[in-house]
Amino acid sequence: EIMPSLVGSEMCKETGIAVLEERNEEIDMLMTQEEVYSNSVKCQELALEKDANNNELEELYEKWEELAE
């Protein structure tokens, strides 16, 4: 989780983006494992986490673009 006191910093946004992108890659790899894709509950949990990550990434990208202007 990003600390509120650092939310305004560009470096923090880049770090947050990198962490979320890396986690999404991990989720993609997990979803290819039989013990995960054969478990509907685990698949749903990971899909929800990735969806939440993507929503947060979208917000961070927008804020990062604003800072870059």
Side-chain angles (χ1 to χ4, degrees):
E1 176 131 339
I2 298 171
M3 293 174 48
S5 62
L6 298 174
V7 168
S9 83
E10 187 171 341
M11 185 174 181
C12 183
K13 286 185 182 23
E14 289 179 20
T15 302
I17 288 169
V19 167
L20 289 169
E21 287 176 339
E22 184 175 320
R23 179 59 183 153
N24 279 351
E25 288 176 15
E26 290 174 5
I27 290 171
D28 288 342
M29 283 191 286
L30 286 169
M31 296 285 264
T32 66
Q33 297 175 2
E34 183 177 359
E35 62 270 15
V36 176
Y37 70 72
S38 62
N39 180 334
S40 62
V41 173
K42 185 66 175 172
C43 279
Q44 185 174 7
E45 288 172 357
L46 290 171
L48 289 171
E49 180 183 350
K50 187 173 180 183
D51 188 49
N53 289 352
N54 287 334
N55 289 336
E56 189 172 347
L57 276 169
E58 190 174 318
E59 290 177 25
L60 286 172
Y61 288 139
E62 289 173 10
K63 290 176 183 176
W64 187 59
E65 287 176 14
E66 289 172 13
L67 287 173
E69 292 176 354

